[in-house]
Amino acid sequence: MATYIEMPKLADTMTEGTLLKWRKNLGDKVSTGDVVADVETDKATMEIESFSSGVLHEFLVKAGEKVPIGAPIAVLLGKGESAPAPGSLPAAPQAAAAKTAAPAAAAVAASPAAVAPVAASAASAKAASGAPQSGGRVKSSPLARKIAAERGVNLGVLTGTGPGGRIVAKDVVSAGAGAGGTAAAAVPKAAPIAAPAAGAGDQVIALSGMRRVIAERLLASKTQIPHFYLHLEVDAAPMMKMRADLNAGGDKDSGFKLTVNDFVLKAVVAAAVRVPAVNASFAGDSIVQFGSVNLSVAVAVEDGLVTPVVRDAQKKSLSAISEAVKELAGRARGKKLKPDDFQGGTITVSNLGAFGVEFFDAIINPPQAVIVSVGAIVKKPVVGPGDTIVAGQRLAVGVSADHRVVDGAVAAQYLAEIKRLLENPSLLLI
């Protein structure tokens, strides 16, 4: 019986992948673990490995085609096996589910007159009774119930957005006063932005999976998360001196060098340990404060930006963080990252100093609550001892924070801790 190589699920948000290139040719022998193709997911370009052995008999997908997860993309034949008959290929799970759902959907669509009165009746009964359709207790947070009582909102007609469909405070607030008894006032919607028309000489570039997800996530972050921003300048001279001393005293044969970014990353992690409230995430009617600092590091790649994660960074030394980030960045640019490399980040650092950018505000990487922005070290005149003007080295560091999780004073304390550590870099070696 022939074996099929299928499109695997390479990321938690992946529904399909684009096959970019085949790494094997027809007739090649394939062993378990061999890389057979490159696939673009919604996060990065990754390699597909074969989970079976055999001879590559047929490609079912051409380079450049989009394929749903679980769909067969190639046929492997073992010794003595014959090729599958035409039309006998297995369907992808999504396609099979769609076929199963189609008759039911058609039946519903065929009798809208019969369905509409039932739906209207159920909705009317629910509104009148103020009870959930299931007849059970309305799941809601204590704060939601308190606000509902104050504003005269009927919880029974609301749809909860909290865990397990629980009604949380924001659901009550957005419903408006008297919801359930009378219709809430319509909220005006912003007019859609018209897409520009491409003219002569213009180039239309199709969105890749990665660019599409970047657009969706950052739009959601900027419109749904209440950002606020803080900035300060760090005296970078002590850090630059220690970096030079450590690099000069290191193993010259290894070629290993500490970068400015290594010091910043270590300081961001150490400061998060001292101010744990920033290492957190908003969870509807609660805040999750993480026990480990899993550091997401923004890395620019050809088609956008990826944020591989250094796990348990609070347990790693300055040199260990440096090595981990260099290894992840190298694999990111070489399109070698695995799905696990993206998962579980709790705080992000974005550094544009290498591009000469002095300071900027970064957009929060959801569901995290804080992202740290780092600019270039700039020489500028500063006030020295005895009110003298001397040449100084200054580094701009900023914090973008989710105000639902982090208050201004807490973010300021965190930023001040980063400054203290970078201006006293010996503390990063402890």
Side-chain angles (χ1 to χ4, degrees), residues 197-203:
D202 296 338
Q203 182 181 7

Side-chain angles (χ1 to χ4, degrees), residues 373-417:
S373 56
V374 184
I377 294 177
V378 178
K379 288 187 175 180
K380 58 174 61 176
V382 298
V383 179
D387 291 339
T388 58
I389 303 299
V390 298
Q393 299 183 77
R394 291 294 186 266
L395 170 67
V397 180
V399 161
S400 305
D402 181 347
H403 218 323
R404 298 172 302 176
V405 179
V406 180
D407 291 329
V410 174
Q413 181 185 357
Y414 175 61
L415 198 52
E417 185 63 23

Side-chain angles (χ1 to χ4, degrees), residues 200-223:
D202 296 338
Q203 182 181 7
V204 178
I205 302 172
L207 286 180
S208 64
M210 181 190 298
R211 177 53 57 186
R212 184 175 66 249
V213 170
I214 289 174
E216 291 171 353
R217 284 175 60 83
L218 294 187
L219 176 62
S221 175
K222 198 65 172 161
T223 56

Side-chain angles (χ1 to χ4, degrees), residues 252-266:
K252 294 181 174 58
D253 296 331
S254 69
F256 177 79
K257 296 288 185 183
L258 290 168
T259 67
V260 171
N261 197 50
D262 296 333
F263 283 85
V264 171
L265 295 177
K266 178 62 178 175

